[in-house]
Amino acid sequence: MEVSPTHYVLKTPMEGPWPAKMKVCVLANGCFWGSEKGFWRLPGGGVYSTAVGYAAGRTPNPTYEECCSGQTGATEAVQVVYDPEKVSMVDLLRWFWESHDPTQGNGQGNDRGTQYRSALIFFDREQEELMRASKDAYEKALQAAGKGMGPRITTEIVAASDFEQPFYYAEDYHQQYLAKPGARPYCSAQPLQAASFPNRNPPSLRGFESNKYVGKEHHVGLK
């Protein structure tokens, strides 16, 4: 899939190799347009680059039409390249959980299908531990608040190494779509208006938060 060499908003490269200090994760919350915008707008300059694409599927190089057919098993996802010295994985996970309803299974709002399912793809052990700990913490927060369509979070947490290639870039017209002239301001994600880690981070997540932003209000809208 050919994409622009430069991020439309951040003016950074769209494809690697990435600077040595950067880390990569892939997150899918049922709406890759709005999700990508949320990640590139996180404050502090810690997000180096973002891209939308198709992840955790069975077939290589899927197109949008193929992904929407449900035959590829891929979900719409965002690849985030970030500087862990400026923004932590906990920061990214807080935005991920609070920007959609992770209890809806294969869907988000009126959009139904495997391409809209919630998923987290980790690239190292620390990411895996934080993803699993944050899932447990947010599930408890939702249950305490009486939020969500079901009693349990359905988000998949899988290893990048489980796939020949965990992330495939989407077509260029999807990249940074909501920042481009003429974009249709649509996002199917349905945030539950529940804080992911109320009051303070759970013990399993402490020590990983960024000094500047975790624990402070920095919610960003999709409009």
Side-chain angles (χ1 to χ4, degrees):
M1 194 74 70
E2 293 186 6
V3 297
S4 171
T6 306
H7 194 284
Y8 188 80
V9 177
L10 301 176
K11 309 306 180 185
T12 52
M14 281 289 291
E15 299 182 79
W18 311 111
K21 65 179 180 178
M22 299 298 167
K23 297 187 71 172
V24 178
C25 64
V26 175
L27 312 97
N29 72 353
C31 175
F32 62 6
W33 291 348
S35 185
E36 185 190 19
K37 182 177 181 178
F39 285 118
W40 85 56
R41 293 181 69 189
L42 287 178
V47 173
Y48 179 76
S49 187
T50 62
V52 297
Y54 313 115
R58 298 183 297 271
T59 61
N61 301 305
T63 64
Y64 181 68
E65 289 74 17
E66 290 170 344
C67 184
C68 290
S69 75
Q71 299 302 304
T72 69
T75 184
E76 296 182 11
V78 180
Q79 174 181 267
V80 180
V81 183
Y82 64 101
D83 181 349
E85 295 181 0
K86 295 181 179 179
V87 63
S88 78
M89 191 68 221
V90 173
D91 290 316
L92 303 180
L93 288 168
R94 178 177 274 107
W95 160 253
F96 169 78
W97 293 120
E98 295 183 10
S99 64
H100 75 305
D101 180 353
T103 71
Q104 291 194 23
N106 289 331
Q108 197 68 196
N110 293 324
D111 290 336
R112 310 303 299 174
T114 56
Q115 72 269 30
Y116 299 112
R117 73 186 189 277
S118 178
L120 291 167
I121 299 176
F122 60 85
F123 288 75
D124 59 39
R125 179 61 61 84
E126 179 182 291
Q127 286 184 353
E128 178 185 13
E129 291 176 351
L130 290 173
M131 287 175 179
R132 295 192 185 283
S134 69
K135 177 182 177 180
D136 291 343
Y138 195 46
E139 191 165 70
K140 292 176 182 176
L142 292 182
Q143 291 171 350
K147 299 291 184 74
M149 292 183 63
R152 297 290 179 185
I153 285 176
T154 59
T155 303
E156 299 174 10
I157 300 179
V158 292
S161 59
D162 288 347
F163 307 92
E164 183 175 346
Q165 186 168 321
F167 177 85
Y168 292 94
Y169 285 82
E171 294 81 353
D172 193 58
Y173 71 89
H174 285 299
Q175 306 298 335
Q176 298 88 61
Y177 173 80
L178 291 180
K180 295 176 179 177
R184 179 169 59 99
Y186 171 79
C187 182
S188 62
Q190 296 192 323
L192 293 174
Q193 307 300 316
S196 49
F197 316 125
N199 301 321
R200 58 187 176 84
N201 286 334
S204 55
L205 297 179
R206 290 180 201 154
F208 294 96
E209 59 271 75
S210 65
N211 293 330
K212 194 171 183 180
Y213 295 106
V214 168
K216 296 184 179 180
E217 292 297 325
H218 61 268
H219 298 286
V220 287
L222 299 181
K223 296 181 179 180

